[in-house]
Amino acid sequence: MPDATVRTISAADYFQGYSAVGLIAVIGVLFVAVAFGSARLMRPVVPTPEKLLTYECGVDPVGEGWAHTQVRYYVYSFLYVIFAVDSIFLFPWATVFAAPGFGGITLVEMFIFLGFLAVGLLYAWKKGVLEWT
């Protein structure tokens, strides 16, 4: 029988791996702060009425700011994102499914995941979201 030795890990050993991540995060925050600060100090500030006017894509604003938008375009985009995420999860699942010892468990998990997506698609179909009118 192999001898099972237990290695105790001190708090210093545990946090040593996180110190590098913390240092990189601090350096990143400082880099962004210095970049924004230097840009603020070097840019010219000459406010004119034209610069203070709200515009969209270079076009002067005409009328009110509220406009009606068809919500069906957004619904189709959300449905696309849902199924794109589904396809992203299928590729790693296929690699794990091929590994020995994981076949049955991963198959059940994927059918549960696909079941949730099917319920969402069925709900959208029952609500009439998939009909383009």
Side-chain angles (χ1 to χ4, degrees), residues 35-113:
F36 276 112
S38 62
R40 185 177 180 131
L41 290 174
M42 293 189 300
R43 71 177 182 220
V45 179
V46 185
T48 61
E50 289 82 17
K51 287 183 180 179
L52 299 176
L53 184 66
T54 304
Y55 68 96
E56 176 85 27
C57 299
V59 178
D60 290 332
V62 177
E64 294 187 25
W66 293 100
H68 294 285
T69 305
Q70 295 290 333
V71 73
R72 64 180 166 213
Y73 302 119
Y74 297 110
V75 173
Y76 276 103
S77 65
F78 285 140
L79 288 174
Y80 169 76
V81 168
I82 288 170
F83 287 103
V85 169
D86 175 33
S87 65
I88 289 171
F89 280 125
L90 282 175
F91 289 113
W93 170 78
T95 59
V96 171
F97 184 69
F102 290 105
I105 295 170
T106 55
L107 183 65
V108 170
E109 289 175 350
M110 186 48 65
F111 275 117
I112 291 171
F113 178 68

